[in-house]
C-alpha cells in the first residue's frame, strides 16, 4: 500500500502514528482475524484509523520522534505511545483498555 502525503512533515508524523502501539492496538481491534492468531491489515482496515483532529498540533508532537527514527535512533514504544497519545489530545487512561486488549 502507499499513502500520499502533502509534504515531508505530514509523512514523518504519519509514520510515527503508524509505528505506535496505539495504532497497532486500534488496527488489531478492527482487522480481520487470520489463521494462526494473525490479523489481515487490508486497505479498508487502515482507512478506519482516525487521524488527530488538530493535525498541526499533532505534527508538532510526532515529528521529533519520527525525525529521530530517520536519523537512526528509533524511539521506544513508550516514547511513541506518549507522543501519539498527546498528538490525539488523549489521556493514557482513556486508551489503556485498548492497549491491554491488544497484548492479550
Amino acid at each position: 500500500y502507499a499513502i500520499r502525503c502533502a509534504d515531508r512533515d505530514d509523512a514523518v508524523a504519519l509514520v510515527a502514528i503508524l509505528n505506535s502501539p496505539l495504532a497497532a492496538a486500534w488496527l488489531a481491534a478492527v482487522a480481520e482475524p487470520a489463521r494462526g492468531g494473525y490479523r489481515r491489515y487490508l486497505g479498508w482496515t487502515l482507512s478506519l484509523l482516525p487521524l488527530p483532529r488538530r493535525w498541526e498540533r499533532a505534527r508538532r508532537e510526532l515529528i521529533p520522534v519520527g525525525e529521530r527514527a530517520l536519523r537512526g535512533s528509533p524511539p521506544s514504544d513508550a516514547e511513541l505511545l506518549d507522543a501519539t497519545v498527546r498528538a490525539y489530545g488523549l489521556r493514557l487512561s482513556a486508551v489503556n483498555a485498548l492497549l491491554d486488549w491488544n497484548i492479550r
Side-chain angles (χ1 to χ4, degrees):
Y1 298 104
I3 299 173
R4 184 175 292 171
C5 295
D7 59 35
R8 183 181 187 282
D9 285 345
D10 280 349
V12 170
L14 182 58
V15 166
I17 289 174
L18 291 174
N19 282 288
S20 74
L22 184 59
W26 174 271
L27 292 169
V30 298
E32 293 179 20
R35 190 174 10 181
Y38 293 96
R39 298 288 208 199
R40 289 188 184 96
Y41 297 100
L42 305 171
W44 69 265
T45 310
L46 192 59
S47 74
L48 294 176
L49 179 68
L51 293 178
R53 274 181 217 211
R54 297 179 58 200
W55 184 245
E56 290 301 318
R57 179 176 154 262
R59 282 176 24 143
R60 286 191 300 274
E61 297 289 344
L62 297 165
I63 289 171
V65 294
E67 288 290 351
R68 208 172 84 218
L70 290 172
R71 289 190 305 270
S73 180
S76 68
D77 282 348
E79 291 170 301
L80 272 173
L81 178 59
D82 183 55
T84 306
V85 167
R86 284 194 321 268
Y88 279 91
L90 300 170
R91 292 186 181 140
L92 187 56
S93 61
V95 297
N96 273 334
L98 177 64
L99 295 166
D100 289 345
W101 177 86
N102 188 46
I103 60 173
R104 61 180 169 111

